[in-house]
Amino acid sequence: MKKRIAILGSTGSIGTQTLAVVREHAALFEIEVLTAGSNAELLIAQAKEFSPKAVVITDERKYELVKASLKSLEIAVYGGQEALSEVVQREHVDVVLTALVGFVGLKPTMSAIKAGKDVALANKETLVVAGELIMDLAKKHDVKILPVDSEHSAIFQCLVGESNNPIEKIYLTASGGPFRGKDIAYLSTITKKEALKHPNWIMGQKITIDSASLMNKGLEVIEAKWLFNLQVEQIDVVVHPQSIVHSLVQFEDGSLKAQMGLPDMKLPIQYALSYPERLPSNFERFDFLQYPNLSFERPDMDTFANLALAFASIKKGGNMPCILNAANEVAVAAFLNDQIGFVEMSVVIGETLEKIPFIDSPTLDDYLAIDEAGRVCAKELVTKKKKIYQIEK
């Protein structure tokens, strides 16, 4: 039987690449649900091509457009954010691929787990915010969490067949982004256009900015702790500009295993959907002769403070990663809207972490309240810094 997939965020970068994988392996995969935020036109086109049983447009202003456009087809159309948590529970969904960006991915991912659905997770914020809660829930409901991020997929692949061999350390690789080697003075001058030019990967705007600031790697450190049941001290980050080694695992005997390949998100997406099998692909093959030198270096956490803030937040634990994520989402949006500069993002995040009270063992209700409080605080800080930034600009 075909594996039936619900894609949360089908019009984004990960969502469209997932559909490319499904298109290539139409005999193995079938689309059951598609969802989008506000890109109604692309959602309609995808629905007409893949004939899902249901679609969701969370921007309710676009609901009537989507419904009218699909009225001749046997597709249920839903609108609003809450519908995401409902459609993932549909009886015939086998796996839910969560490709939503940000905190919004938490509730539908939890809903999918409670419904007994395996989750292919491309929404790192879910584990950043509530990693312990999510992994406990997955264990309770006997659900697989299959990582889609290239780095976590690499670790996951390296661990296949190693269940009895404890991990000594993992190394998450980072390209270093477009500003590797630059100092704070330089970062203070960069533009949004420059920050959105990633040297190796093609991604959505939010994750591209996170990659440029190294916050993306910080979020991945937190995600890795929960995915692979590690202590923070067992996780290291190395800058690898070529993005060929996607991450490494070191075992107790000192042996290292790495997963390598050209930077292409379709490979980890396909592996998550086909696990434990590997499927043939027409992806471009890596040629060692085209990459005679692979280099590695330490990240500059003094200049790129976001990575240091992420490490500090997960070391303290509790609600700190949730605050970090909320403040970062606000700071990135402010930078993309030309309200603050690149360096000010770290300042907003750091000050928000200081202002929100610490909770050692948050509940789900705590996480929801903390996320809101973190956003309110970060927005107030953005408003203050916006005036200074615009005067200086």
Side-chain angles (χ1 to χ4, degrees):
M1 292 179 61
K2 292 184 180 181
K3 186 176 289 186
R4 295 161 296 191
I5 303 165
I7 304 178
L8 305 183
S10 66
T11 60
S13 175
I14 295 296
T16 54
Q17 291 180 84
T18 301
L19 289 175
V21 170
V22 171
R23 194 180 287 117
E24 184 71 20
H25 296 283
L28 300 176
F29 304 124
E30 181 178 345
I31 297 300
E32 185 77 12
V33 175
L34 294 173
T35 84
S38 60
N39 193 342
E41 290 76 15
L42 182 52
L43 177 64
I44 291 164
Q46 291 174 342
K48 289 180 176 178
E49 177 182 358
F50 290 94
S51 301
K53 300 296 186 299
V55 301
V56 177
I57 183 79
T58 60
D59 185 345
E60 296 186 67
R61 297 170 298 178
K62 306 288 185 71
Y63 170 74
E64 292 298 338
L65 170 62
V66 176
K67 186 176 181 180
S69 300
L70 300 178
K71 66 181 180 180
S72 63
L73 304 174
E74 294 183 3
I75 299 175
V77 179
Y78 303 96
Q81 203 72 42
E82 293 303 317
L84 296 177
S85 295
E86 297 171 7
V87 292
V88 295
Q89 300 178 46
R90 292 176 69 93
E91 179 184 358
H92 299 298
V93 170
D94 297 313
V95 60
V96 176
L97 190 140
T98 307
L100 301 169
V101 177
F103 182 84
V104 69
L106 177 61
K107 279 188 174 181
T109 300
M110 289 183 65
S111 181
I113 294 171
K114 289 177 180 178
K117 313 298 183 184
D118 288 339
V119 174
L121 191 63
N123 171 258
K124 60 176 61 65
E125 292 86 355
T126 290
L127 290 180
V128 169
V129 169
E132 186 173 14
L133 188 155
I134 291 294
M135 297 310 291
D136 286 348
L137 198 64
K139 185 176 181 180
K140 177 182 177 181
H141 292 276
D142 194 25
V143 161
K144 297 184 187 73
I145 304 293
L146 303 161
V148 172
D149 271 352
S150 61
E151 295 81 2
H152 301 95
S153 176
I155 300 297
F156 185 71
Q157 292 180 58
C158 288
L159 291 175
V160 171
E162 301 283 1
S163 58
N164 295 321
N165 295 315
I167 298 170
E168 184 172 280
K169 199 176 190 69
I170 67 168
Y171 294 89
L172 298 174
T173 55
S175 70
F179 310 123
R180 180 175 63 90
K182 304 300 184 183
D183 58 19
I184 290 179
Y186 182 90
L187 296 183
S188 299
T189 69
I190 65 171
T191 65
K192 175 174 67 177
K193 184 177 180 181
E194 291 171 320
L196 287 170
K197 289 183 178 179
H198 195 280
N200 299 332
W201 296 93
I202 298 173
M203 305 173 290
Q205 286 195 339
K206 196 265 183 183
I207 192 172
T208 302
I209 299 302
D210 279 347
S211 295
S213 73
L214 292 195
M215 178 57 88
N216 188 54
K217 206 53 51 181
L219 299 179
E220 288 175 0
V221 167
I222 300 170
E223 185 180 9
K225 170 185 167 47
W226 299 116
L227 271 174
F228 306 113
N229 192 27
L230 301 172
Q231 299 300 311
V232 181
E233 293 72 25
Q234 292 176 280
I235 307 171
D236 208 347
V237 171
V238 291
V239 174
H240 169 51
Q242 297 81 21
S243 295
I244 297 299
V245 177
H246 296 304
S247 279
L248 308 95
V249 178
Q250 182 173 296
F251 296 96
E252 289 185 322
D253 61 357
S255 178
L256 282 165
K257 286 176 73 173
Q259 190 267 328
M260 302 171 64
L262 293 172
D264 185 346
M265 281 305 301
K266 290 193 294 295
L267 195 152
I269 290 168
Q270 179 170 296
Y271 188 71
L273 295 181
S274 66
Y275 177 81
E277 306 298 328
R278 289 188 183 273
L279 301 179
S281 79
N282 58 4
F283 307 149
E284 185 181 356
R285 269 36 179 183
F286 172 70
D287 181 353
F288 275 97
L289 299 182
Q290 295 296 318
Y291 292 85
N293 298 301
L294 299 178
S295 60
F296 303 88
E297 60 195 56
R298 290 187 181 278
D300 180 358
M301 289 198 282
D302 292 327
T303 301
F304 295 89
N306 279 356
L307 182 54
L309 289 170
F311 266 108
S313 73
I314 191 57
K315 283 179 181 177
K316 188 167 184 180
N319 63 334
M320 299 304 283
C322 181
I323 301 167
L324 176 93
N325 181 72
N328 181 62
E329 289 190 23
V330 170
V332 171
F335 174 70
L336 288 170
N337 288 321
D338 298 312
Q339 295 176 312
I340 59 174
F342 189 84
V343 172
E344 281 70 35
M345 289 192 293
S346 297
V347 177
V348 167
I349 296 163
E351 291 186 12
T352 304
L353 284 166
E354 293 174 359
K355 290 177 180 293
I356 304 297
F358 175 70
I359 300 176
D360 184 52
S361 300
T363 64
L364 176 59
D365 287 340
D366 288 331
Y367 284 127
L368 298 175
I370 292 159
D371 176 75
E372 180 60 28
R375 289 173 193 275
V376 169
C377 180
K379 287 176 182 176
E380 290 174 353
L381 290 168
V382 164
T383 299
K384 293 177 182 177
K385 297 180 188 308
K386 177 182 176 182
K387 297 175 183 177
I388 300 171
Y389 174 68
Q390 290 179 338
I391 290 170
E392 292 177 346
K393 190 176 179 182

